[in-house]
Amino acid sequence: MARARIRGVLFSLLAAVLLSGCGDPSSAPPLQATASSSVGCAKGESYQHTTLAYHLCFPSGWTSRDYTAEPGAGGAVSVVAFGPPSAVPPHVPASGSFMPPIEVRVVAGPRDQAETSLAQGNQVSQTKVAGIPADKITVTTPGPASGSVIIVFEHQANTYEIEQAPGADDAAFQLLLDSFSFPTS
């Protein structure tokens, strides 16, 4: 009888282990970015997201910080900020008003879902990033984000939002946009 109970417990544990891998994929933990300097930059510092595989350059003296697992990430697949060390703290401040000079946010899903709310009431024009058609949204609605520029495009079923905070360095933003690329396969 004890053997039957032990066998039943072992069977239950085995079933739980097997089923735990069959959960909802949307509940998977967010991707953690890891900086890589494998690709050089003629100007500035090199950054390569090791899981999403994009590469970009940002100004020398600036830092990059992965906020993907932070409460301020808002469910994004990835959130990486770029800016002077004093403007990019180790953790998202609790105040909720944190705007790094430049941020690359990646959200799962098609761009029209994310872009509709971003574009509403703001100025929209067309551009390209990494050869991919993108919308450039200049925030004109009143509020703390007024003056922000957000570039939105889709790549491999993810929506990329590259955001420049109000008053941030235009040359740094342009460097990042001009150098943004994906590996060719």
Side-chain angles (χ1 to χ4, degrees), residues 90-147:
H91 299 285
V92 175
S95 69
S97 62
F98 172 64
M99 277 193 216
I102 299 175
E103 173 182 50
V104 178
R105 176 180 296 271
V106 182
V107 180
R111 94 180 197 193
D112 59 344
Q113 291 177 348
E115 188 174 25
T116 302
S117 64
L118 294 172
Q120 192 170 28
N122 293 310
Q123 181 183 10
V124 179
S125 59
Q126 280 63 54
T127 190
K128 285 189 174 194
V129 175
I132 301 169
D135 284 338
K136 177 181 179 181
I137 301 167
T138 303
V139 178
T140 57
T141 53
S146 185

Side-chain angles (χ1 to χ4, degrees), residues 17-183:
V17 168
L18 290 174
L19 291 176
S20 67
C22 299
D24 177 11
S26 66
S27 66
L31 299 173
Q32 288 291 297
T34 306
S36 168
S37 59
S38 62
V39 181
C41 292
K43 291 172 63 176
E45 303 290 324
S46 177
Y47 176 85
Q48 183 168 351
H49 194 288
T50 56
T51 50
L52 293 170
Y54 66 81
H55 169 263
L56 57 85
C57 300
F58 61 94
S60 295
W62 277 28
T63 189
S64 64
R65 180 97 54 222
D66 177 11
Y67 292 115
T68 302
E70 297 281 331
V77 171
S78 176
V79 178
V80 181
F82 301 89
S86 61
V88 184
H91 299 285
V92 175
S95 69
S97 62
F98 172 64
M99 277 193 216
I102 299 175
E103 173 182 50
V104 178
R105 176 180 296 271
V106 182
V107 180
R111 94 180 197 193
D112 59 344
Q113 291 177 348
E115 188 174 25
T116 302
S117 64
L118 294 172
Q120 192 170 28
N122 293 310
Q123 181 183 10
V124 179
S125 59
Q126 280 63 54
T127 190
K128 285 189 174 194
V129 175
I132 301 169
D135 284 338
K136 177 181 179 181
I137 301 167
T138 303
V139 178
T140 57
T141 53
S146 185
S148 294
V149 176
I150 308 166
I151 307 295
V152 182
F153 64 95
E154 188 175 331
H155 178 71
Q156 295 182 343
N158 288 318
T159 298
Y160 286 73
E161 300 171 9
I162 305 172
E163 183 172 348
Q164 176 187 17
D169 185 339
D170 289 335
F173 190 58
Q174 197 60 52
L175 170 66
L176 189 138
L177 291 175
D178 290 345
S179 64
F180 198 99
S181 65
F182 294 98

